[in-house]
């Protein structure tokens, strides 16, 4: 019996200290990238480190892991044993992916960035599933199995027990990431509503499926039967869908961060299967940083981390019903009214939200802030940690408009100042300014820390109409307060009119 040609790298090359050094440098670059991305002032440098590290990792992998996975005689190798056909195919795939990525990045609007992030997470999960399936179907090519010749029957590849564990975990986490990210994309893109979809008996169903996956993974370590592997894959796709569907719009920023963590762990698991230390390092960094960010955001929202990652565990049916706009007395103002009130103020705190992102109003908003500063008004920007549709969404938009970093404050740094603020200017930030989060126990956002804008002397709130509700599906009590003046219009047009009035 002549086994397939193994896809191993020459031992001298695989054991070369230069390979380990290159992966180490790539890992350091990834760490520096995460450090740089922790602040707007260093984010560009962090991106450059990430690009350099990924470039080093990709080139090193291509040089040291030339595929020799097909049966003998099916490829034409040169004198050095290099399969140029495979290399051309890999480079073509890289080129195609790069072209799609560059085109998408140039055309995508900042308002659609959360959807794009969710879509990218789904691709990472799908890639992990594809690698796991390829390794299961051809384990000898991945050097994770031994050829066994039984006394009776045809020879077969016996996958190493450790490799089975890696493979099962990789395909499970990858499938959960893929289907969960697809649902997150649909919710963020507006194809699905922001309200939680609470299926009857969902907790028992989720626990049952998760328990079945754990049992099947344990079985897979003892028996590599195909039905076990494919059942794990199908159930993992299903549980990813079921975990994200019951999570409401108010928690979607945490979901995006959580799925980012999942994609990292899926990549790390596949790194073990591929014997690629750079992939293990990268996956572990992404997985751990995403998990830490999710935990920090849950604390900022007064949410239980376990509840969110368990797919809305603890969400009540009553809360999911959401709220509709209430017909109550409210005051309407104009651009001229807003311009006069802000020009006479000592301090104005601007609270941006998703409404600003949709209208692309960040540039004209900065222009308004500059005019107010010329009038001697102190201008500050208050950022809620989950404003928008993903972590840091508002920070990115304000940085794009060149708003000075020293004027931007997080919730815990600015909340105490609202009581001494003359005007709070809210531009589309509905849920994160809703006082119901502090008083209404039936509200789906109850317990979430919000910006105390209602304590300002005057609140100016830009909203398209009084008929809609926030992404979490609840009406905002702030609209009906005595000190609130509603500015009903497209956010960008209203701010442009205020700028004209100030000029």
């Amino acid at each position: 019996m002549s086994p397939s040609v193994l896809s191993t790298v020459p031992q001298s090359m695989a054991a070369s200290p230069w390979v380990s050094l290159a992966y180490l440098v790539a890992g350091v670059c990834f760490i520096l990238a995460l450090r740089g991305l922790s602040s707007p002032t260093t984010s560009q440098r962090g991106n450059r480190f990430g690009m350099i590290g990924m470039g080093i990792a990709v080139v090193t992998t291509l040089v040291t892991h030339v595929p020799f996975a097909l049966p003998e005689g099916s490829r034409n190798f040169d004198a050095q044993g290099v399969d140029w056909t495979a290399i051309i195919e890999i480079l073509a795939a890289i080129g195609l992916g790069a072209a799609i990525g560059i085109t998408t990045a140039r055309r995508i609007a900042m308002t659609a960035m959360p959807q794009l992030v969710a879509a990218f997470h789904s691709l990472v999960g799908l890639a992990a599933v594809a690698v796991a399936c390829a390794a299961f179907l051809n384990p000898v090519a991945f050097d994770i199995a031994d050829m066994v010749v039984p006394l009776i029957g045809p020879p077969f590849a016996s996958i190493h027990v450790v490799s089975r564990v890696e493979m099962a975990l990789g395909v499970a986490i990858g499938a959960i990431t893929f289907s969960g990210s697809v649902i997150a994309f649909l919710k963020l893109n507006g194809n699905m509503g922001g309200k939680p979809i609470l299926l009857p008996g969902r907790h028992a169903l989720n626990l049952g499926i998760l328990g079945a996956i754990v049992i099947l993974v344990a079985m897979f370590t003892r028996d590599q039967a195909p039905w076990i592997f494919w059942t794990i894959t199908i159930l993992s796709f299903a549980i990813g869908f079921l975990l994200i569907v019951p999570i409401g719009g108010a928690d979607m920023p945490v979901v995006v961060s959580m799925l980012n963590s999942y994609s990292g762990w899926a990549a790390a698991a596949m790194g073990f299967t591929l014997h690629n230390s750079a992939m293990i390092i990268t996956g572990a960094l992404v997985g751990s940083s995403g998990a830490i960010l999710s935990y920090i955001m849950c604390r900022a929202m007064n949410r239980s981390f376990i509840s969110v990652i368990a797919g809305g565990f603890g969400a009540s049916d009553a809360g999911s019903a959401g709220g509709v706009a209430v017909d109550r007395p409210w005051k309407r103002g104009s651009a001229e009214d807003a311009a006069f009130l802000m020009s006479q103020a000592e301090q104005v705190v601007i609270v941006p939200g998703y409404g600003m992102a949709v209208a692309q109003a960040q540039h004209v908003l900065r222009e308004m802030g500059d005019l107010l500063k010329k009038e001697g008004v102190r201008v500050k920007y208050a950022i809620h940690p989950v404003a928008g549709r993903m972590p840091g969404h508002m920070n990115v938009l304000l940085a794009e408009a060149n708003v000075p970093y020293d004027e931007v404050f997080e919730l815990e740094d600015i909340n105490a100042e609202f009581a001494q603020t003359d005007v709070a200017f809210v531009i589309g930030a509905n849920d994160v300014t809703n006082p119901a989060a502090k008083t209404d126990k039936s509200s789906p956002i109850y317990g979430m820390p919000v910006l105390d804008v209602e304590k300002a002397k005057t609140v100016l709130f830009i909203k398209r109409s009084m008929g809609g509700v926030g992404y979490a599906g609840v009406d905002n009590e702030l609209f009906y307060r005595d000190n609130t003046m509603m500015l009903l219009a497209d956010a960008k047009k209203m701010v442009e009119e205020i700028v004209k009035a100030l000029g």
Side-chain angles (χ1 to χ4, degrees), residues 246-307:
I247 299 178
D251 291 330
M252 285 312 294
V254 180
V255 171
V256 173
S257 176
M258 179 183 67
L259 290 170
N260 177 49
S261 178
Y262 287 177
S263 68
W265 297 125
M270 288 301 95
F272 284 103
T273 300
L274 296 174
H275 308 296
N276 190 304
S277 57
M279 199 169 178
I280 297 171
I281 294 171
T282 306
L285 287 173
V286 173
S288 57
S289 61
I292 293 170
L293 178 59
S294 299
Y295 176 73
I296 292 173
M297 292 180 66
C298 284
R299 289 188 61 185
M301 297 170 65
N302 196 30
R303 290 285 195 269
S304 166
F305 180 67
I306 300 299
S307 297

Side-chain angles (χ1 to χ4, degrees), residues 118-138:
F120 282 167
H121 290 165
S122 72
L123 295 178
V124 175
L126 188 60
V129 172
V131 171
C133 292
F136 178 74
L137 294 173
N138 193 7

